[in-house]
Amino acid sequence: MAISISRRLLHSGSFTKNPSVQSFRILSNALCGHLFGDSISSVVPSTFGKGESLLTVCRRLSTSILTPESKEGSFPSDLLTAKRVLTPERTIGLYQDLVIPVTNFNNEDKGLMVLAGDVFDVPIRKDIVHRVVRWQLAKRQQGTHSTKTLSEVSGTGRKPWRQKGTGRARHGTLRGPQFRHGCAMHGPKPRSHAIKLNKKVRRLGLKIALTARAAEGKLLIFEDLEVPTHKTKNIVNYAKQMENTKKILLVDGGPITEKLKLATQNLHYVNVLPSIGLNVYSILLHDTLVMSRDAVNKIVERMHTPINR
C-alpha cells in the first residue's frame, strides 16, 4: 500500500481546512495500525498539532534530538524504549582521526583530544608485532655468558701417563672436556644477540600497539600526570576507579616527576615511562595505557618525523 500526496498541499493552510484532512488522518492511523500495531496508531493522533500535517509531524519527530535539557514533551514518551540500542562497531584500520575525552586522576572532564589516524588507527598486523617483540627481547640480552676453552682452563700441561703399556686410554692433557674441572667445548662466548629490523617496521609496530589499545577502549588520555602527594595510596585509589584494569602503564611527555615516581615504585601493577621510552613490549605487558596530552603530542611528532637513512 502506498500513499502519495503533494508536499505543497501538505504545507498549505487551505489543506487543513479541507474536510479531506480528517479522512487523511483516519487513513494514516489505519496505515500505522496495519504496519506497526494498535499501540503506535493510538499515539499518532496525539502528536498532531493544530493545523499540522502528517509529513510535518514525521519530520519533527525524526529530527528531534534528546538532550538532558530537553522538555518532557519534546518526544512522545510512548515511542521511547528502555532497551539498549546496539551500534555497529567501528572498523579498525581506516586511518581515521579519533576523538577521545580527556580526564585526569580525579575523573574530571578536561575536554576532548583528536588523535591522528595514521598513528592510532592503522591496520592490525600480528606478524609485525611479533617481529618487533623478538627484536626487543633479543636486543636487551646482555650476552655476557662465557665458558673456558682448553687454553683457558687452569691446570698442568704435562701428559698424565705414558702412551703405551698402562692399559689405560691414551691422553695428552687433564684439561680436556672429558675430565672433571676440564674445559667446555663449543660453549657460549660473549656476543650480541641483536637482530636487524628496519626502522619503518619498528615504527609500524608501535603504531599497531597504540591502535590496538585505542580499539579496545584501554587508551586513556589525561590532561597531565600530576599527583598531589607522593603517597602510594593515592595511586591505589585511582587504579581502583578504573574498571577491568590489572596493569597500568603511565606515559608522560617529559621526565617523570619525583612525586609520581615515589607514588608508583611500590606497586607492581603500575609502571611509569617517559614518551621517549614507550615501546611495543611494554604496551603489551599492560592492559591499560594512560598517556598525558604532552606524551601524545610527542609520540605523534616522533611518528611523523622522517626516517634518517
Side-chain angles (χ1 to χ4, degrees), residues 4-6 58 84 97-98 122 127 168 178 189 193 206 208 222 291:
S4 61
I5 189 169
S6 174
C58 292
R84 182 180 179 183
D97 294 344
L98 308 179
V122 300
D127 59 318
R168 304 183 65 179
Q178 70 272 30
K189 281 293 184 180
H193 292 265
L206 184 56
I208 293 173
F222 280 15
M291 302 178 66

Side-chain angles (χ1 to χ4, degrees), residues 106 124 131 185 194 196 270:
N106 297 324
I124 302 296
R131 291 176 60 185
M185 300 303 294
K196 183 180 180 300
V270 179

Side-chain angles (χ1 to χ4, degrees), residues 31-90:
L31 178 61
C32 293
H34 176 71
L35 296 178
F36 305 106
D38 298 334
S39 60
I40 300 297
S41 62
S42 61
V43 179
V44 175
S46 62
T47 61
F48 280 94
K50 185 176 180 181
E52 195 173 20
S53 62
L54 176 63
L55 183 61
T56 306
V57 172
C58 292
R59 179 178 297 177
R60 174 169 56 83
L61 296 182
S62 63
T63 57
S64 299
I65 300 177
L66 296 181
T67 61
E69 292 78 14
S70 301
K71 298 180 180 179
E72 295 182 357
S74 59
F75 202 90
S77 59
D78 297 336
L79 298 181
L80 298 178
T81 178
K83 295 182 179 180
R84 182 180 179 183
V85 179
L86 297 179
T87 57
E89 295 183 358
R90 179 178 64 87

